Amino acid sequence: MRKTTGGRPHRFEPPRLVFGLVALTIALLHVLRATGNADVPLPVLFALLPLGLLCTAAVAMAALTARRARRRAVERGR
């Protein structure tokens, strides 16, 4: 049997969600550009990945801060 955390099969990871959405958006824009349905300049497409990674890092830092604060609040409540 798999080990669970808090009764759930796995922890929710917001950074993974954000990165997945960013990657899907970039892929969709590449497909639209390749088919001629969107006029997105290539430098813009190349700039989206680093910007998406920065957004993912910001979400990861916020999630880590929230988890630490929650853990400290639980420890103080005991």
Side-chain angles (χ1 to χ4, degrees):
M1 186 108 203
R2 288 173 45 172
K3 187 176 181 181
T4 61
T5 56
R8 293 177 284 167
H10 57 83
R11 261 187 354 182
F12 175 62
E13 295 289 339
R16 287 185 180 190
L17 174 66
V18 170
F19 182 71
L21 292 173
V22 167
L24 285 173
T25 302
I26 292 171
L28 178 66
L29 288 173
H30 273 286
V31 168
L32 289 174
R33 185 176 187 276
T35 59
N37 292 331
D39 188 25
V40 181
L42 198 55
V44 171
L45 288 176
F46 287 138
L48 286 178
L49 184 60
L51 292 175
L53 288 172
L54 286 173
C55 289
T56 301
V59 170
M61 290 174 59
L64 180 64
T65 303
R67 284 195 176 126
R68 283 183 181 171
R70 187 176 338 138
R71 187 175 10 160
R72 287 181 186 151
V74 168
E75 289 174 355
R76 288 181 186 163
R78 290 185 180 178

